[in-house]
Amino acid sequence: DADVTQTPRNRITKTGKRIMLECSQTKGHDRMYWYRQDPGLGLRLIYYSFDVKDINKGEISDGYSVSRQAQAKFSLSLESAIPNQTALYFCATSDSNRLADTQYFGPGTRLTVL
Amino acid sequence: AQSVSQHNHHVILSEAASLELGCNYSYGGTVNLFWYVQYPGQHLQLLLKYFSGDPLVKGIKGFEAEFIKSKFSFNLRKPSVQWSDTAEYFCAVFSPGGFQKLVFGTGTRLLVSP
């Protein structure tokens, strides 16, 4: 079984709709992240959470919100989707007890906003 | 602000050619360095990492990278590429005593022709 899972894998929605992307992990890691990937821009950090009670904005958090429901679950919401939020979204986890912050990625959610 | 530069956005090679992908970062403190690979349609996977010791790091599938502190560089190399190396490669930097987030470069798309 995959250590980091994301649902849905693909989603097409309309402008103005609220949607939620979910991420679950079985690695027992305390840190979780949401990134978006756009061609030519690499991965950009949206939000990150160092534990259940610690949530922080990344470099492009506008238009997004998150919820850390449990150590293993971290959801990303688009309150009112717009077309420039069309992208590939990745969840990742890491273990703060390790020296180097190796991150483990989920399979991604391809989101299209029409 | 810390940043990671990957100067080669697209690289096209024939099988058996040698590969070197450049990565430079802009942070003067202690860093941990990573190369991730994303094969077509797949999520990011760790290729190799450096956090201390021998600056020449060997990773999976015959890849290696050399950390040159004086040049703020962590270039990825492979002596002889294969068609299966076609993928996008991302360099990333983490500062354990500093910004506490993984900062990614914009990626390099490698196409290996058979």
Side-chain angles (χ1 to χ4, degrees), chain A residues 7-113:
Chain A
T7 56
R9 294 293 311 279
N10 287 282
R11 179 75 183 269
I12 300 173
T13 192
K14 294 182 179 180
T15 297
K17 295 290 187 183
R18 182 182 188 275
I19 65 163
M20 179 182 289
L21 310 182
E22 299 188 349
C23 176
S24 295
Q25 53 115 346
T26 59
K27 297 188 76 66
H29 289 169
D30 50 346
R31 297 183 172 187
M32 298 186 74
Y33 309 81
W34 275 105
Y35 294 90
R36 64 177 281 175
Q37 183 182 19
D38 299 276
L41 297 178
L43 275 79
R44 293 180 292 168
L45 184 63
I46 306 172
Y47 269 96
Y48 60 104
S49 170
F50 282 176
D51 65 38
V52 175
K53 296 180 181 178
D54 180 13
I55 292 179
N56 306 278
K57 293 183 177 181
E59 56 183 309
I60 53 163
S61 59
D62 287 349
Y64 301 94
S65 63
V66 291
S67 173
R68 185 84 183 266
Q69 302 94 323
Q71 187 187 42
K73 295 184 183 295
F74 192 37
S75 301
L76 176 72
S77 294
L78 285 67
E79 299 301 325
S80 179
I82 56 177
N84 75 2
Q85 290 177 314
T86 293
L88 188 54
Y89 290 83
F90 286 104
C91 174
T93 74
S94 69
D95 182 355
S96 64
N97 291 317
R98 296 183 64 83
L99 279 175
D101 193 33
T102 301
Q103 294 189 9
Y104 298 87
F105 286 81
T109 295
R110 186 167 294 281
L111 175 66
T112 302
V113 183

Side-chain angles (χ1 to χ4, degrees), chain B residues 3 7 17 21 41 46 49 54 64 72 84-85 87:
Chain B
S3 65
H7 304 293
L21 302 182
L46 183 67
K49 63 184 178 184
D54 189 343
E64 65 179 30
F72 298 89
S84 58
D85 293 325

Side-chain angles (χ1 to χ4, degrees), chain B residues 41-93:
Chain B
Q42 298 187 26
H43 61 285
L44 275 78
Q45 303 169 43
L46 183 67
L47 199 55
L48 49 78
K49 63 184 178 184
Y50 168 84
F51 42 91
S52 65
D54 189 343
L56 184 61
V57 179
K58 295 192 183 297
I60 60 172
K61 302 186 180 184
F63 286 91
E64 65 179 30
E66 184 175 13
F67 171 48
I68 303 179
K69 188 174 181 179
S70 61
K71 295 184 178 180
F72 298 89
S73 70
F74 190 55
N75 292 354
L76 181 70
R77 299 194 294 248
K78 186 171 183 178
S80 176
V81 294
Q82 301 173 313
W83 175 79
S84 58
D85 293 325
T86 294
E88 190 160 16
Y89 294 80
F90 295 93
C91 181
V93 176

